Every structure is written in structure tokens, then in C-alpha cells.
Amino acid sequence: MGKKRFDEKENISGFQQLKTSVQKGIRSKILEQYPYIENCINDVLPKKEPFRLMKCHEHIEVLVGANGDFLFFRHREGFWVPTLRLLHKYPYILPWQQVDKGAIRFVLSGANIMCPGLTSPGARMTPCPKGAIVAIMAEGKQHALAVGITSMSTADIQSVNKGIGVENYHYLNDGLWILKPMK
């Protein structure tokens, strides 16, 4: 996925009702990418309910559930990434990387997560390869504050301990978070 983040400037260019076959394909791709979602996939993407694709500028697409909730987004043909709202309902679908208290305000301003913020006291990592979609948790906080993709494996984050550990894709109060559900 590119370095593109979602923000208010992404104008929505339209909606597309997806064919059943396309929905099945997306559903199986999401199951394959996030094995832990299997327990709740029927709540998230019920087989019998149609979901739509919201097309935005900058090649961003958002999956919109039957009830208007934003479920996943992607840039170009990249991975489907769960939105924070979905993650708050089903926190177990992604591996967690926890930053220390000091990193919180940077993450919430859209900054990438630096290695030291993941290796200091107060931080905690779940083993992950490079390129994994992860939930960014914070010391002392209950809910994820961002979703990102690992720039290196957690083993490398630990040993290198400098530079970007996780690229921040979507964070609390960004453009995607503040968009109202699309009924």
C-alpha cells in the first residue's frame, strides 16, 4: 500500500453496489488476511446483506456495511485494512503493538511509530513480520488509537531500535474517523 493516508480532503466520488461474486471474493480475501476475524465475520460482513464500496479520490476505497458503517479501507489494490471503529468492536482481529505514553500525542497527530516508542518501558510488541497490518495500542488506554503496517519485523524493531517501526495509516480523529456513517 502506498504512503497515502485518509483525510478530510479525500472527496468521495461515489458508491458502488457490489455483485455477490465480488462480495464473496472480498470476504474470502479478508478472512485469508485476518484469520482471527473468522469468529465475527458473519457479524461484520453478513453473507445475506449487501455491502457497498465508497470510492474516494487518491485511489482510496472504503467498504461500507449494510448499516452504513465503514468497515475496511484500502489504497489502490492494496490490503483491506480494518477501520478503527471496527477494531474497537472486535479488538482481537489484529495483532497489537503497544506504544509508551510519550508516543500517544504523536500517533494521534498522524506520525509514524518510531522503534524507540515500541521498545521502551511501557511499550509492548506482538511478534509480527514486516508488512503486517497491526493495531496501535497505547500504555494505559483501552482502545486502539491507530492502525498501521510494520516497516520491519518486530525482531528488527527490537534489534535496530531506530527509524520507523510502524507506518501510521489511520488514527483517531483523522478524516476517516470523523466521517459520518453513510446510510
Side-chain angles (χ1 to χ4, degrees):
M1 188 155 152
K3 304 273 185 248
K4 194 73 197 105
R5 288 201 192 90
F6 200 99
D7 64 32
E8 301 82 60
K9 296 191 297 289
E10 317 282 25
N11 318 7
I12 296 164
S13 55
F15 284 90
Q16 190 182 340
Q17 192 61 61
L18 298 168
K19 288 194 186 99
T20 315
S21 58
V22 175
Q23 292 193 178
K24 268 196 190 122
I26 290 173
R27 202 182 138 106
S28 60
K29 209 161 201 69
I30 286 170
L31 274 165
E32 181 188 316
Q33 199 183 334
Y34 306 109
Y36 295 114
I37 203 172
E38 203 168 339
N39 308 328
C40 63
I41 191 76
N42 293 324
D43 298 332
V44 177
L45 294 171
K47 276 197 171 118
K48 299 280 177 247
E49 287 184 13
F51 50 91
R52 294 172 295 167
L53 195 60
M54 181 171 76
K55 299 240 182 212
C56 305
H57 295 312
E58 303 291 342
H59 306 281
I60 300 223
E61 298 177 320
V62 182
L63 279 186
V64 182
N67 58 359
D69 290 344
F70 303 124
L71 305 172
F72 292 86
F73 67 97
R74 70 176 180 176
H75 183 237
R76 298 197 190 273
E77 297 294 303
F79 291 129
W80 285 107
V81 178
T83 61
L84 278 167
R85 291 195 190 280
L86 184 65
L87 202 54
H88 288 178
K89 274 191 199 146
Y90 306 102
Y92 54 83
I93 61 179
L94 288 183
W96 292 9
Q97 306 304 344
Q98 181 176 299
V99 297
D100 60 25
K101 281 193 174 89
I104 297 174
R105 64 192 181 98
F106 297 106
V107 174
L108 292 179
S109 63
N112 289 322
I113 293 86
M114 306 312 273
C115 293
L118 290 162
T119 56
S120 66
R124 218 180 281 137
M125 287 192 290
T126 306
C128 277
K130 175 184 174 158
I133 305 288
V134 295
I136 303 301
M137 309 304 283
E139 182 182 4
K141 300 281 181 232
Q142 189 192 343
H143 292 297
L145 60 158
V147 178
I149 185 165
T150 52
S151 306
M152 50 179 108
S153 70
T154 44
D156 287 348
I157 290 172
Q158 195 76 54
S159 62
V160 176
N161 206 16
K162 60 175 185 281
I164 296 170
V166 179
E167 216 180 294
N168 190 344
Y169 269 173
H170 166 38
Y171 51 93
L172 285 178
N173 296 319
D174 69 1
L176 181 55
W177 175 263
I178 60 180
L179 268 182
K180 297 281 171 271
M182 299 290 172
K183 293 285 182 236

